[in-house]
Amino acid sequence: MSYSEYTEGIFDGDNLEYSDEIGGNIGIFEKSDYNYFFSSSSICSYLCDYETAKSTDLLKYKGAQVVVCYKRYAVIENGKISFINEDFGNDLKEVNKGFYVFTEKMRVRHDVCVTEYSDGRVEKMDRYIKYNTVSDKCDDVMKALDIAKAYSLEHNTRCVVAMAVFGYDRYMDFYI
């Protein structure tokens, strides 16, 4: 006889992981004139400038199947804006593909599957799925800021509000 047990929980995990492929060493929550970064699954690039972002070959970027470039709007800490990109609206080259909220501490979904076989064998599989986005796509930056403020207070963490600019989907083999 076989059975399967499934449990799931969401909790604050490790801090956001960075890829050193792009940018220097300035994290997305730091004050900087660089305001572009890439996100792929639970890994972010360091901040970079517009020219670096535009010249990045997304086909070669490591990580998950979908890589998105974001333009940072604000950093939220303890429910308040601690940094805002003063030049956010000055770049008319950008196409708004929605605002998203990123959190410093990754949210982790932990799945445990246990299977017991008739011959006495027991198999257990643990999976951790890390992700650091708090909100779904939001077209209103003020609503995204409200989500970030509330989340940063409730979870005692920093958040970033950023606009998706462009990306590449390896599943579908096209730019987004």
Side-chain angles (χ1 to χ4, degrees):
M1 180 171 182
S2 257
Y3 72 92
S4 187
E5 182 182 281
Y6 175 80
T7 60
E8 172 181 304
I10 296 180
F11 55 92
D12 283 337
D14 298 329
N15 286 341
L16 181 65
E17 294 177 30
Y18 285 98
S19 161
D20 60 2
E21 282 187 77
I22 299 170
N25 60 356
I26 303 170
I28 68 171
F29 303 96
E30 307 305 320
K31 294 177 182 177
S32 171
D33 289 337
Y34 295 154
N35 283 299
Y36 292 86
F37 66 94
F38 292 84
S39 177
S40 174
S41 184
S42 62
I43 298 174
C44 276
S45 73
Y46 288 108
L47 292 174
C48 64
D49 62 7
Y50 177 77
E51 292 307 318
T52 301
K54 284 304 283 184
S55 65
T56 297
D57 185 353
L58 296 184
L59 295 173
K60 295 180 180 176
Y61 188 81
K62 294 177 189 167
Q65 296 297 327
V66 179
V67 179
V68 178
C69 178
Y70 293 89
K71 182 178 185 179
R72 185 173 66 155
Y73 178 71
V75 177
I76 311 300
E77 199 166 356
N78 298 320
K80 299 190 184 317
I81 297 172
S82 62
F83 170 80
I84 194 153
N85 178 357
E86 297 292 340
D87 296 323
F88 187 81
N90 294 346
D91 195 344
L92 299 177
K93 301 175 213 167
E94 305 301 334
V95 176
N96 181 350
K97 296 186 182 294
F99 288 91
Y100 294 82
V101 177
F102 292 81
T103 179
E104 180 176 34
K105 295 180 180 177
M106 289 188 289
R107 297 162 59 205
V108 179
R109 192 175 90 184
H110 179 204
D111 301 338
V112 179
C113 300
V114 179
T115 304
E116 184 176 321
Y117 296 94
S118 58
D119 61 5
R121 291 179 296 129
V122 175
E123 288 184 6
K124 178 180 171 186
M125 180 178 70
D126 291 330
R127 281 188 324 201
Y128 290 90
I129 303 168
K130 297 182 177 182
Y131 53 102
N132 58 297
T133 51
V134 171
S135 66
D136 292 328
K137 176 183 170 184
C138 179
D139 292 327
D140 181 2
V141 69
M142 298 311 287
K143 183 177 176 184
L145 282 171
D146 288 343
I147 292 168
K149 289 175 182 177
Y151 191 90
S152 72
L153 273 176
E154 184 179 343
H155 297 280
N156 191 30
T157 186
R158 293 183 292 181
C159 291
V160 163
V161 174
M163 180 180 75
V165 179
F166 62 88
Y168 183 73
D169 185 335
R170 289 185 178 115
Y171 289 116
M172 305 301 288
D173 191 28
F174 71 89
Y175 287 90
I176 51 178

